[in-house]
Amino acid sequence: MQPDPMTNNEPHQTAKKVLCIEDEHFIGELYKRSLDKSGYDTTIEVDGVKGLELAQSDQYDIILLDLMVPNLTGIEILRTLRDPVKTPHLKAKIIIITNLEQREDIKQDIEKQADGYIVKAEMTPKELVEFLDNIA
Amino acid sequence: MNYLSKTERQYFRVLLPSFIASSAIAIIALLLLKELGLKPDFYYLATAGVVLIVSLIITILVNGMLISPLRHLWKLIISMTPHSNSQPPPIESLKIGRELVANLTAQLYQLTSSISAQKPGAETNSLNDNFVANKLPLPLFVLDATETIVYANSVASDYIGIATENLVGKNFYMVMDMSFPSENTLDNWLKEVKANTATASMSWERVRLNVLDNHPTRLFDLAAFYNKDNPNKYETMIVLFDHTKQYSQDDQAVSFVALSVHELRTPLTMLRGYIEALEEELKDSDNPELLNFMQNMRATSQQLTAFVNNILNVARVDNDQLQLSLHEENWGDIVMSAVNAISVRAKVRGITLETNIEPDLPTVGVDRLSIYEVINNLIDNAIKYSNDAKIIKVDAHLTKDNLVETTVQDFGLGISESIMPNLFTKFYRDHRNRSQIGGTGLGLYLSKAIVTAHGGNIWVRSALGQGSTFGFTLLPYAQLAEEIKNSDNKEIVRGAHGWIKNHSLYRR
């Protein structure tokens, strides 16, 4: 048996800050628990407009962005964050989290602007941590 | 199996009187000899014995010749009327049935064509006026060496909604845009037989006709008979057996289930998330019952997830929507991680998974989630069909052709040879244990579509009562890297298709 990489819970040297813009309470709760346990510092935001404001404050290392959030869609948030006029500087990596079945061309278009694309139903919180450990 | 014993009864009903009749003739011959004043000494008794044995042999031979075609015909009748018979005939006789029909039709067609061609004044329209073929209740097409339609009966014309006069003279593939469930298409088969054989017959199940305009899609079985260099230029006979209603019902069922289970995905992932969290919290617990419950919960939720994914991906494959992105991966890691995940499920059944992964395997180009599903399906089947066997072997190695091959071997029920060709067909399930072992009949169909999209092959080897080995090959990443170099994309995207276009005319 090989060692399971997912049980590696050692805290990161400096806690990476994660902003999770997600309106489904259960998912936010599970993600926060797993990420914080693995040494991340996670903030959950359920509202699209507030989420964008937080993202533009440029204090995060990773932004998990759901495509369906109230008041502003994930696509609009992504466009604004990638617009050099509206968001002059952004150090965070943007990971799209969704359950929407996208047409392949739309998906590729979103993927081009984002740093990662996750289908929520295909990843448990543990696997999400593993994924972020690998890209961070 | 009821009908087989019935056949045997019929056999004896014919054989016994024949034998009695032959014996009676032998005895009468013996009596005649005696009547003629010849003493039945040893020589005559021996002669009578030989006559008796010869008559017995002749009886068996003649009856065999008589009974065998009758049995084929009888099976054929059963296979053509599947709804009127509660006990479905075994698939192998279905095949015999369809090919036999194509074969008989071909003989009949040629016979009647040559007769009508000899009639005075018939040469003008003999092709379209074949009385017998027009009476055949099945769509029939006759093609020449260039796949041009030389004859189509009125049933065929009605079936595809094109008038006979618009069919004759056209290329068959232009008229019939067909998709097959595997690479073994009519076109490929014809190419092969044209190169190698004089006569051959073949049949296919679940062929789809993509009809233009407002005609509904047709689903049918297809049988073909090929006769090289036929003097009348009729090389290929094609007969269709419509099953649109039955097959489309199955497909609609999958679409409907897919629509429903789609909504299960998120709650299910959350449930798995909470189980993970709970397991973490309980990992230091010393209550073995609690730990056992957790293990079972994880195994069950994984099984449910695998089921949901299978259904969704089958629906995607059917609609040509399953896209795979191939990335460079360490194959050993993927196999180990899949085995680790499913080992809980095996453990619940008391089965141990033994892995043997060759060191230094080259990296492979795979879509992680999809190929994971293939390993999962194969191991899941191995668990289901293990019966009392307690070991399943998972092995990954490099083949002589430099392909990465993975095998899953169980020591359980095994599969009879007759059903092996159908294993990877959609909805196919072994009728022997359908009621005892759960399943959808979709796992292997999907696995095949996924492996094929990766450029690999999937195969099975099995012996009844000794277990089965399923295996598949994958290309080393280095081979795919060449492909990436020559394209603009950073990654390779492949589509997994359930349907293979019959002819390049229609391939995208």
Side-chain angles (χ1 to χ4, degrees):
Chain A
M1 292 282 233
Q2 288 188 343
D4 185 352
M6 286 183 272
T7 52
N8 179 12
N9 281 348
E10 272 179 39
H12 292 245
Q13 297 284 309
T14 47
K16 288 216 159 121
K17 292 189 79 176
V18 179
L19 171 65
C20 179
I21 307 174
E22 164 66 74
D23 66 329
E24 276 181 79
H25 174 70
F26 288 150
I27 291 185
E29 183 183 81
L30 278 169
Y31 283 1
K32 182 172 167 56
R33 182 188 171 279
S34 270
L35 287 168
D36 286 358
K37 275 211 159 210
S38 307
Y40 291 88
D41 173 10
T42 316
T43 310
I44 307 286
E45 178 50 62
V46 294
D47 181 83
V49 177
K50 283 184 194 153
L52 177 61
E53 278 169 24
L54 281 175
Q56 284 177 316
S57 69
D58 202 19
Q59 51 172 317
Y60 299 97
D61 301 293
I62 295 165
I63 297 169
L64 296 175
L65 178 59
D66 185 13
L67 288 181
M68 293 269 278
V69 278
N71 296 328
L72 201 59
T73 70
I75 304 266
E76 286 167 313
I77 297 174
L78 181 65
R79 278 205 197 110
T80 315
L81 291 178
R82 286 291 182 237
D83 185 333
V85 179
K86 289 175 185 156
T87 313
H89 189 260
L90 189 80
K91 67 174 176 190
K93 287 194 166 148
I94 305 175
I95 314 291
I96 302 296
I97 51 173
T98 181
N99 259 347
L100 292 177
E101 293 271 316
Q102 304 287 356
R103 267 180 30 218
E104 195 58 26
D105 50 339
I106 299 177
K107 189 182 155 194
Q108 276 176 6
D109 193 47
I110 297 169
E111 272 177 337
K112 259 181 214 157
Q113 296 186 62
D115 299 292
Y117 188 100
I118 291 172
V119 178
K120 276 187 274 188
E122 287 170 357
M123 238 182 223
T124 63
K126 248 189 194 176
E127 288 159 354
L128 174 75
V129 172
E130 202 189 17
F131 179 82
L132 293 189
D133 282 347
N134 283 333
I135 65 146
Chain B
M1 290 292 119
N2 189 26
Y3 79 92
L4 263 185
S5 59
K6 208 169 152 193
T7 308
E8 304 311 329
R9 281 205 299 278
Q10 285 177 338
Y11 190 90
F12 280 106
R13 219 175 284 161
V14 181
L15 187 133
L16 212 63
S18 318
F19 180 65
I20 292 169
S22 321
S23 309
I25 291 167
I27 292 166
I28 290 167
L30 213 65
L31 289 174
L32 267 175
L33 286 175
K34 201 183 169 191
E35 207 59 32
L36 287 172
L38 297 164
K39 276 181 192 167
D41 57 10
F42 175 75
Y43 176 74
Y44 292 112
L45 275 177
T47 315
V50 170
V51 168
L52 210 67
I53 290 165
V54 169
S55 68
L56 179 64
I57 292 169
I58 291 171
T59 310
I60 290 172
L61 281 178
V62 168
N63 277 302
M65 280 191 280
L66 271 174
I67 289 289
S68 164
L70 276 176
R71 193 159 60 178
H72 279 308
L73 274 173
W74 183 48
K75 278 184 178 182
L76 165 75
I77 291 162
I78 294 174
S79 73
M80 285 170 69
T81 53
H83 304 298
S84 63
N85 194 297
S86 60
Q87 175 103 25
I91 295 297
E92 65 268 22
S93 64
L94 262 176
K95 254 177 99 77
I96 292 172
R98 281 191 299 265
E99 285 170 33
L100 193 69
V101 168
N103 204 319
L104 288 174
T105 310
Q107 310 297 340
L108 213 61
Y109 181 83
Q110 282 171 22
L111 187 71
T112 48
S113 292
S114 51
I115 291 170
S116 58
Q118 283 160 12
K119 281 185 193 163
E123 63 273 6
T124 45
N125 204 19
S126 67
L127 289 179
N128 300 326
D129 206 23
N130 191 309
F131 177 74
V132 175
N134 245 334
K135 288 286 169 212
L136 183 75
L138 297 163
L140 165 76
F141 296 92
V142 182
L143 317 180
D144 69 6
T146 61
E147 276 96 46
T148 302
I149 302 174
V150 292
Y151 173 78
N153 66 1
S154 53
V155 185
S157 148
D158 292 345
Y159 187 64
I160 60 169
I162 301 174
T164 317
E165 53 269 29
N166 294 333
L167 286 172
V168 175
K170 295 270 168 61
N171 182 292
F172 181 63
Y173 297 147
M174 288 298 283
V175 177
M176 297 282 284
D177 175 10
M178 291 179 292
S179 298
F180 286 75
S182 78
E183 297 74 21
N184 175 25
T185 61
L186 173 68
D187 184 33
N188 286 342
W189 176 77
L190 267 181
K191 275 185 189 138
E192 204 175 296
V193 291
K194 279 183 181 180
N196 301 320
T197 20
T199 58
S201 66
M202 181 70 175
S203 71
W204 293 261
E205 280 176 46
R206 272 186 181 277
V207 181
R208 185 167 76 169
L209 175 67
N210 312 304
V211 196
L212 297 170
D213 305 331
N214 295 326
H215 268 279
T217 300
R218 302 283 194 179
L219 292 156
F220 48 82
D221 296 342
L222 184 152
F225 175 80
Y226 175 74
N227 187 359
K228 195 182 197 132
D229 299 331
N230 180 289
N232 299 326
K233 304 279 177 221
Y234 316 139
E235 283 216 348
T236 315
M237 301 266 164
I238 289 167
V239 183
L240 310 183
F241 303 82
D242 182 57
H243 288 292
T244 307
K245 203 173 162 194
Q246 181 198 340
Y247 289 164
S248 58
Q249 263 174 2
D250 295 343
D251 290 338
Q252 277 163 12
V254 170
S255 308
F256 175 72
V257 173
L259 206 67
S260 328
V261 299
H262 191 262
E263 296 306 311
L264 287 178
R265 295 197 315 161
T266 312
L268 196 52
T269 315
M270 283 193 261
L271 209 57
R272 283 172 62 207
Y274 282 114
I275 291 172
E276 268 179 9
L278 216 56
E279 253 189 325
E280 255 173 55
E281 297 297 329
L282 289 174
K283 84 175 161 222
D284 299 325
S285 158
D286 49 7
N287 184 342
E289 196 181 18
L290 215 56
L291 291 174
N292 192 29
F293 282 178
M294 286 312 305
Q295 183 181 297
N296 292 353
M297 263 165 79
R298 179 146 64 100
T300 317
S301 67
Q302 273 172 6
Q303 199 176 352
L304 192 53
T305 309
F307 168 77
V308 165
N309 286 342
N310 263 348
I311 296 275
L312 288 173
N313 280 337
V314 166
R316 290 186 188 122
V317 163
D318 284 353
N319 295 317
D320 281 351
Q321 280 173 347
L322 185 64
Q323 298 276 353
L324 310 176
S325 321
L326 310 191
H327 296 277
E328 182 172 16
E329 303 273 4
N330 180 321
W331 185 238
D333 288 353
I334 291 191
V335 174
M336 279 317 294
S337 124
V339 167
N340 283 344
I342 204 171
S343 64
V344 186
R345 207 142 89 227
K347 216 164 133 191
V348 172
R349 296 267 201 115
I351 295 171
T352 315
L353 300 178
E354 278 185 14
T355 45
N356 180 21
I357 293 163
E358 208 172 85
D360 307 323
L361 280 178
T363 55
V364 288
V366 292
D367 181 280
R368 202 183 166 97
L369 277 177
S370 309
I371 208 74
Y372 201 90
E373 214 171 324
V374 174
I375 308 173
N376 200 59
N377 275 330
L378 296 187
I379 300 181
D380 194 48
N381 276 349
I383 294 175
K384 277 196 226 158
Y385 292 93
S386 261
N387 214 9
D388 294 329
K390 293 297 170 208
I391 283 179
I392 290 168
K393 287 185 176 171
V394 182
D395 185 288
H397 55 264
L398 201 63
T399 67
K400 274 183 244 154
D401 308 326
N402 232 13
L403 298 169
V404 177
E405 187 171 62
T406 310
T407 58
V408 176
Q409 184 181 14
D410 71 66
F411 301 90
L413 297 172
I415 304 157
S416 76
E417 208 167 308
S418 60
I419 65 165
M420 275 204 233
N422 306 302
L423 280 181
F424 297 96
T425 312
K426 194 172 168 190
F427 298 117
Y428 188 77
R429 298 197 53 223
D430 190 348
H431 56 88
R432 288 171 302 139
N433 36 40
R434 200 179 282 196
S435 51
Q436 293 97 41
I437 298 169
T440 53
L442 298 172
L444 287 176
Y445 164 73
L446 179 65
S447 300
K448 184 170 192 254
I450 292 173
V451 170
T452 310
H454 277 84
N457 261 319
I458 191 162
W459 51 263
V460 58
R461 219 173 25 230
S462 184
L464 213 53
Q466 291 171 32
S468 318
T469 306
F470 283 85
F472 63 94
T473 53
L474 291 170
L475 299 173
Y477 184 74
Q479 285 191 36
L480 290 165
E482 279 297 308
E483 205 175 305
I484 300 182
K485 234 195 272 173
N486 301 329
S487 78
D488 303 334
N489 296 333
K490 266 193 257 164
E491 57 176 16
I492 306 168
V493 178
R494 293 264 176 85
H497 307 295
W499 297 99
I500 309 294
K501 288 280 187 185
N502 177 54
H503 193 258
S504 51
L505 276 175
Y506 295 99
R507 273 184 203 133
R508 287 175 301 169

